[in-house]
Amino acid sequence: MRRLRNVKIVATLGPASEDYDTIRALHEAGADVFRLNMSHGSHDEIREKHRIIREVERDLDSPIAILADLQGPKLRVGTFAAGPVDLAEGATFRFDLDGAPGDGARVCLPHPEIFQALAPGATLLVNDGKIRLRVEACGADFADCTVIAGGEISDRKGVNVPDVLLPLAALSDKDRADLEFVCTLGIDWLALSFVQRAEDVEEARALADGRAALLAKIEKPSAVERFDEILVASDGIMVARGDLGVELPVQKVPPIQKRLIRKCRAAAKPVIVATQMLESMIESPMPTRAEVSDVAAAIYEGTDAIMLSAESAAGQYPVEAVQTMDKVAAEVESDTNYASIIAASRQTEGHSIADAMVAAAREIAETTDIKAICCFTQSGTTALLTARERPGVPIIAMTSLRGTARRLCLSWGCNCVMTAELERFKGAVVNAARAARAGGFATEEDQIVVTAGVPFNVPGTTNILRVAPCDERLIYNTDPG
């Protein structure tokens, strides 16, 4: 299904979007990737959503990526004997391992790993950062704190520890069970929460064993500090701005977002900008102007994808939220400034033959009357490198592997088309011409650029580029072999 924009849209499924009609409407409205949030829903409910997505994919003959988002370890306080407690600024408060219900002076924090890592001066945040405490003294089973920013604390509120590298694995027992379940089910991308270091991604990769591509969520300061090594270990990145905005001063998040997007693009790895993009559309059919500007800013920065969370999962207007993103993206990308902004941020890290081939394809397409770049890819690497170039013409990613087509649904500009396994380059050119015509990218009078690797069906062999006519008669008359 051809989109009239290059940036991709990720829509989270939930109670507001779990039946066939709504999921199909979301895809037709512009959702390229569906996110399954493993924090909510049983395995049976996840299995049913997966079944419906694949049914929509089959009915519309349109590849769809499924992203399973693991919950990660959740740090929460215990309970309070007499209900919520108001913590006043300047007051003292203790966290400990005592399982007894809390009061105005203390509460259980059932995570010994936190106490092992704390030091005086560390910060503890409660309830999405609404309450801020400074550690004054601590030990193996307690932390005595001063309340810096007060508020109401109640049962099982979440705790963040922003300035400490916690000795916690990114995968809890629940995550391990969920990972095996969704990989067996057949998902395309696996998002990892609570990533602090590259080893967290490598642990998940060993468990996934090639059954899904891995996307690291950047939601902790420690992940920002170690981003380069995390990027190397990952197949993609999610900039989870909500949690970053809790653990870091909010003014630091926009420049971090811009920096991470550029690094991902240079590495030819897809990046999603996520959290609260159209938050008001949970209850309103119209977004705020600030939200529209936020979405537009991410697109101008060159992100591969933008994501809806509660807007599509639990909101009153899930389809309208996708339509809004689609319209904003189309408008931004039609702006005459967009191409120059994207071109100015172009940078590469590789110097391989494949890097040179995709750069040449983009240069040829943008300086002559070429209608599309058709790249044949098995692993998806050639398409990712082509997407990194951000060409001014459509990218048609052609592959015989359904899994590759689905994974590329997350990558900027990739229009994924299934093709049979090919043995000869002439057959590839003919198939590319047919795909360009069938998708409305070109007519018989037009030309396209075709990139491929010889021998065929071998990953990492991109070594041939051809400017080809879309008229098959001319292909057969002029192409040898």
Side-chain angles (χ1 to χ4, degrees):
M1 183 176 294
R2 184 182 177 183
R3 307 297 192 194
L4 298 179
R5 36 84 182 165
N6 292 301
V7 72
K8 300 303 179 73
I9 296 175
V10 182
T12 303
L13 298 185
S17 52
E18 56 188 6
D19 61 277
Y20 175 91
D21 289 342
T22 305
I23 292 174
R24 176 167 177 156
L26 288 169
H27 182 58
E28 292 177 327
D32 305 287
V33 182
F34 286 115
R35 172 176 173 257
L36 305 178
N37 188 350
M38 303 307 294
S39 297
H40 305 289
S42 67
H43 282 187
D44 285 343
E45 291 169 333
I46 296 295
R47 183 184 292 108
E48 179 61 10
K49 290 186 181 72
H50 180 278
R51 183 195 67 77
I52 293 173
I53 294 168
R54 293 300 181 225
E55 185 178 349
V56 170
E57 178 184 65
R58 183 179 63 251
D59 291 349
L60 297 178
D61 190 24
S62 176
I64 300 173
I66 300 178
L67 165 67
D69 194 335
L70 299 181
Q71 175 178 286
K74 292 298 181 183
L75 308 179
R76 299 186 184 279
V77 300
T79 61
F80 289 84
V85 169
D86 188 62
L87 297 183
E89 182 179 335
T92 59
F93 193 77
R94 167 175 281 213
F95 295 94
D96 57 40
L97 293 177
D98 184 350
D103 52 31
R106 58 155 295 278
V107 74
C108 178
L109 181 59
H111 303 284
E113 302 90 344
I114 293 180
F115 297 109
Q116 293 171 18
L118 286 180
T123 300
L124 291 176
L125 306 174
V126 182
N127 195 12
D128 291 332
K130 296 180 177 66
I131 301 172
R132 182 179 296 265
L133 306 99
R134 182 180 62 241
V135 176
E136 304 295 350
C138 55
D141 59 357
F142 77 96
D144 288 331
C145 306
T146 298
V147 179
I148 305 301
E152 185 179 272
I153 183 172
S154 56
D155 294 354
R156 300 184 178 87
K157 287 299 182 183
V159 176
N160 294 77
V161 191
D163 44 13
V164 174
L165 181 63
L166 295 174
L168 284 171
L171 297 174
S172 64
D173 290 342
K174 169 180 165 53
D175 293 326
R176 290 170 177 272
D178 287 345
L179 184 153
E180 183 59 31
F181 168 71
V182 296
C183 285
T184 301
L185 193 60
I187 49 97
D188 308 295
W189 285 90
L190 190 66
L192 309 176
S193 300
F194 209 84
V195 172
Q196 298 186 95
R197 54 182 82 78
E199 289 81 2
D200 295 331
V201 182
E202 291 161 359
E203 178 187 5
R205 188 175 298 281
L207 294 172
D209 194 24
R211 293 175 291 176
L214 298 185
L215 187 146
K217 294 168 65 175
I218 307 302
E219 52 192 353
K220 296 189 68 61
S222 54
V224 175
E225 293 169 6
R226 296 166 177 79
F227 181 73
D228 289 349
E229 64 188 56
I230 290 171
L231 179 59
V232 170
S234 307
D235 301 306
I237 295 293
M238 180 190 295
V239 185
R241 306 174 310 167
D243 286 296
L244 271 181
V246 170
E247 299 212 359
L248 286 168
V250 291
Q251 69 272 13
K252 291 184 177 292
V253 176
I256 288 173
Q257 172 179 312
K258 185 182 291 288
R259 185 166 71 250
L260 299 192
I261 289 173
R262 289 205 174 191
K263 288 191 174 191
C264 290
R265 180 178 167 193
K269 294 185 178 183
V271 54
I272 303 170
V273 173
T275 320
Q276 298 175 328
M277 301 211 80
L278 296 176
E279 187 85 353
S280 68
M281 290 195 74
I282 295 173
E283 298 178 346
S284 169
M286 291 292 293
T288 67
R289 293 172 181 81
E291 289 168 339
V292 170
S293 294
D294 181 40
V295 172
I299 299 169
Y300 277 116
E301 289 164 4
T303 188
D304 287 83
I306 45 183
M307 192 176 99
L308 295 166
S309 298
E311 302 97 326
S312 58
Q316 298 177 35
Y317 305 96
V319 175
E320 290 85 350
V322 172
Q323 290 171 336
T324 297
M325 274 194 162
D326 182 76
K327 291 175 183 176
V328 172
E331 189 70 26
V332 168
E333 292 180 10
S334 66
D335 177 15
T336 54
N337 292 316
Y338 175 74
S340 60
I341 292 170
I342 292 299
S345 60
R346 183 178 294 120
Q347 53 184 317
T348 61
E349 289 187 348
H351 303 283
S352 67
I353 291 174
D355 290 313
M357 298 295 283
V358 298
R362 189 227 353 124
E363 186 72 23
I364 292 169
E366 292 182 344
T367 55
T368 60
D369 189 22
I370 297 295
K371 298 301 181 183
I373 298 173
C374 295
C375 53
F376 285 81
T377 183
Q378 289 296 98
S379 66
T381 300
T382 302
L384 291 172
L385 292 175
T386 305
R388 179 182 66 189
E389 292 291 315
R390 301 293 194 262
V393 300
I395 302 168
I396 304 175
M398 305 194 65
T399 181
S400 61
L401 301 178
R402 177 69 65 176
T404 297
R406 288 168 173 165
R407 286 195 298 275
L408 288 172
C409 291
L410 186 59
S411 296
W412 187 97
C414 287
N415 299 274
C416 304
V417 176
M418 295 298 301
T419 185
E421 283 196 8
L422 301 167
E423 299 297 332
R424 302 177 69 88
F425 185 62
K426 180 182 285 187
V429 175
V430 170
N431 275 16
R434 290 175 179 172
R437 296 198 311 269
F441 299 99
T443 67
E444 278 196 346
E445 288 71 40
D446 294 321
Q447 291 184 310
I448 56 175
V449 170
V450 181
T451 61
V454 177
F456 275 101
N457 307 316
V458 178
T461 59
T462 302
N463 55 14
I464 191 166
L465 182 154
R466 165 83 161 95
V467 177
C470 286
D471 186 334
E472 291 182 38
R473 294 166 299 180
L474 296 177
I475 296 173
Y476 283 113
N477 290 338
T478 59
D479 275 35

